[in-house]
Amino acid sequence: MLTWQDIVARSESGNLAPPSRVEKTDQEWQTQLSEEAFRVTRQKGTERAFSSGMCTLFEPGRYGCTCCGTLLFDAHEKFDSGTGWPSFTQPAQDNAIAYHKDGSHGMTRIETTCATCDAHLGHVFPDGPPPSGLRFCMNAVALKKLD
C-alpha cells in the first residue's frame, strides 16, 4: 500500500518505471481527444467541480487513462470525497502513476500524471480515508471506464 511518504519521496527522487510508454505529438492528441480532455490532460487543466456523473458512479470496474488506456484505478478504491471530482485511495498498479511537485496557484501540491503517456490526471493529497490516508483527486475527463 502506498503511503504519503512514498509519494513525496517519488516526487522528489524519481518515479518507478512505467509499464510501457506512449508518446504522441500535440496534434495527434488533439485528433484523438475531445477539446476538454485535451485541455485537461495535455495542458494541465482542471475540469469544473461536480461537472461529471463519475463522482457518484460506484459500481465494480476499472478506470484507465483516457489518452492511452493504461489501467489506473479499481472501483474498489473509489470513495465519495465530497470535492466534486472522482477520488480514489490507491492506484491499481504501483507504477501506473507518476508524481510531481506542483507549486502553481500559490500552494504546494503533488500532481499525478499517467506514467505511460504523461497525461495530467489531477493531484494526490494526504487527507483521504484509512488505511492509506490518501485522496487521489482525479479529473473525470482524464479517466475512462474500462469495464
Side-chain angles (χ1 to χ4, degrees), residues 12-59:
E12 294 173 344
S13 303
N15 290 288
L16 299 178
S20 62
R21 285 293 298 159
V22 172
E23 296 183 20
K24 296 183 180 184
T25 66
D26 279 349
Q27 186 175 16
E28 289 172 314
W29 287 122
Q30 280 182 309
T31 302
Q32 173 186 330
L33 301 169
S34 71
E35 185 176 317
E36 177 74 347
F38 181 81
R39 184 184 70 78
V40 169
T41 62
R42 308 321 304 177
Q43 297 178 324
K44 298 183 185 249
T46 301
E47 67 189 1
R48 199 176 79 254
F50 300 101
S51 63
S52 169
M54 191 181 285
C55 292
T56 56
L57 180 66
F58 291 95
E59 58 186 36

Side-chain angles (χ1 to χ4, degrees), residues 87-110:
S87 297
F88 301 85
T89 59
Q90 290 285 303
Q93 302 173 54
D94 204 29
N95 63 343
I97 295 177
Y99 306 96
H100 313 277
K101 284 203 171 188
D102 175 4
S104 65
H105 305 292
M107 61 184 116
T108 301
R109 306 178 289 175
I110 295 184

Side-chain angles (χ1 to χ4, degrees), residues 95-143:
N95 63 343
I97 295 177
Y99 306 96
H100 313 277
K101 284 203 171 188
D102 175 4
S104 65
H105 305 292
M107 61 184 116
T108 301
R109 306 178 289 175
I110 295 184
E111 176 193 14
T112 56
T113 61
C114 173
T116 299
C117 73
D118 301 326
H120 171 74
L121 303 172
H123 292 83
V124 61
F125 301 95
D127 60 2
S132 74
L134 299 176
R135 174 173 55 96
F136 284 81
C137 190
M138 303 292 98
N139 287 286
V141 72
L143 303 175

